[in-house]
Amino acid sequence: MGYPDPDVLWRLDMFYTAVGLRIEERSGLMTSPMMEMKPMGASDDCFTASSWSLCRDIHRFGFETFRKLPEVGTKLVDDAPAAIEAYRDVARA
């Protein structure tokens, strides 16, 4: 399978950065990525059993149509208030 393509990692990063910025704008809370994946080196631990599914699926990151991209992003942003409320102590730390 090999390492994820750098372009796929870049698209993944840009998508979740955009989602995070929109969540910041709506909530007034600062967001930050939980992990950074790289095509070499740091991603070696990506291929352990505990996170194998995530890494395997990274190769397939993308959207069937351009319309699907904003739909998924909007859903993530719309779901954020419930997640922030559920983890209020962490979100406001």
Side-chain angles (χ1 to χ4, degrees):
M1 177 168 289
Y3 290 103
D5 185 296
D7 290 339
V8 172
L9 295 178
W10 180 80
R11 287 193 305 268
L12 184 75
D13 183 50
M14 291 299 101
F15 176 75
Y16 284 104
T17 295
V19 168
L21 289 172
R22 185 69 175 126
I23 291 169
E24 280 186 10
E25 187 177 72
R26 280 194 182 180
S27 69
L29 298 171
M30 187 173 82
T31 64
S32 63
M34 294 298 292
M35 68 178 183
E36 181 178 339
M37 298 196 59
K38 298 180 179 163
M40 309 246 349
S43 65
D44 285 341
D45 61 348
C46 176
F47 293 94
T48 62
S50 63
S51 59
W52 176 249
S53 174
L54 170 66
C55 296
R56 181 188 62 227
D57 293 342
I58 285 173
H59 290 283
R60 292 185 281 244
F61 179 77
F63 300 94
E64 294 174 18
T65 66
F66 284 121
R67 289 180 188 232
K68 194 73 172 164
L69 186 147
E71 288 174 14
V72 173
T74 298
K75 179 168 177 17
L76 289 170
V77 172
D78 290 345
D79 291 348
I84 291 169
E85 186 60 31
Y87 301 99
R88 182 182 307 161
D89 295 340
V90 176
R92 306 215 185 270

